[in-house]
Amino acid sequence: MQLIGILRWLVELGRMDVCAEVSMMSWYNAMPRVGHFHAVLHLFGYLETHPSCEIVMDSAYMALTDIPKSEWHEFYPWAKEVLPPDMPEALGRAVKIVMFVDASYASNLVTPQSRTGVLILLNHAPIVWYSKKQNAVETSSFGSEFAALKTGVELVEGLVYKLQMMGVPIDGHCHTLVDNNSVVMNASRQESVLKKKSNSVAYHYVRSSDLI
């Protein structure tokens, strides 16, 4: 449907309040049903009644408690931040990256796949918003949260590369906020291990990233 294309452009231009809903409707774009069409019209009705939503681009630093960074060089001696060879000199005021990650566990009622949601801010300004259904069906909320965290790390890596190529200085590492304590503990404790292969890959990818 052309309506989905219009909605996707609106999300790209800043209407992050309908990002998840547009992502859900995009999944049925190849063969939509009448119910999907009515849901899309409902989205346009919402946008018509809320036309003046604004994004506050605040350059102030976010007050966050700085957690001591774990020492992972013994476990991942090869891990290091890949810097662009031709990046310009960083000038100006440094920005702080803050990422919020969450997963809606088994939110799809047909195929119980979870949905990943990521919001990345530079200081107080939202820069990246992301919502997409996960490819695999996770049997626990822990697995879906780790898969979402892996996606968030990939988005941060892309954003950091862009900032470096634009000469924007970055203040320290990315502050990552999740609402699953098991994910936090397993990602920060050096002695923790995972046996499920798909979760283990995401787990080691997140822990070995030099940006988080």
Side-chain angles (χ1 to χ4, degrees), residues 59-176:
S59 61
Y61 286 117
M62 186 177 295
L64 294 170
T65 303
D66 198 4
I67 302 174
K69 192 174 182 180
S70 301
E71 185 61 48
W72 297 106
H73 291 292
E74 180 181 351
F75 289 85
Y76 309 101
W78 42 265
K80 63 178 181 178
E81 183 180 0
V82 180
L83 300 176
D86 54 346
M87 69 176 185
E89 180 185 359
L91 300 173
R93 183 185 178 189
V95 296
K96 182 179 294 184
I97 303 177
V98 181
M99 177 173 64
F100 296 87
V101 181
D102 197 9
S104 178
Y105 175 62
S107 58
N108 192 304
L109 300 180
V110 180
T111 61
Q113 293 167 277
S114 304
R115 176 166 293 275
T116 295
V118 180
L119 178 62
I120 304 176
L121 296 89
L122 295 183
N123 297 341
H124 269 98
I127 299 297
V128 177
W129 43 92
Y130 176 94
S131 176
K132 187 177 180 181
K133 185 165 61 175
Q134 296 180 3
N135 295 327
V137 178
E138 295 291 344
T139 57
S140 65
S141 60
F142 175 81
S144 64
E145 293 279 356
F146 243 120
L149 188 57
K150 175 179 176 292
T151 300
V153 172
E154 293 172 344
L155 293 174
V156 168
E157 287 180 340
L159 177 61
V160 168
Y161 187 90
K162 292 178 182 178
L163 294 175
Q164 290 172 338
M165 292 304 296
M166 290 189 292
V168 178
I170 301 173
D171 182 14
H173 58 274
C174 173
H175 295 262
T176 305

Side-chain angles (χ1 to χ4, degrees), residues 18 21 35-49:
V18 295
E21 291 77 7
H36 302 140
F37 178 68
H38 290 164
V40 170
L41 293 181
H42 184 75
L43 281 174
F44 277 100
Y46 168 80
L47 294 172
E48 184 179 6
T49 55

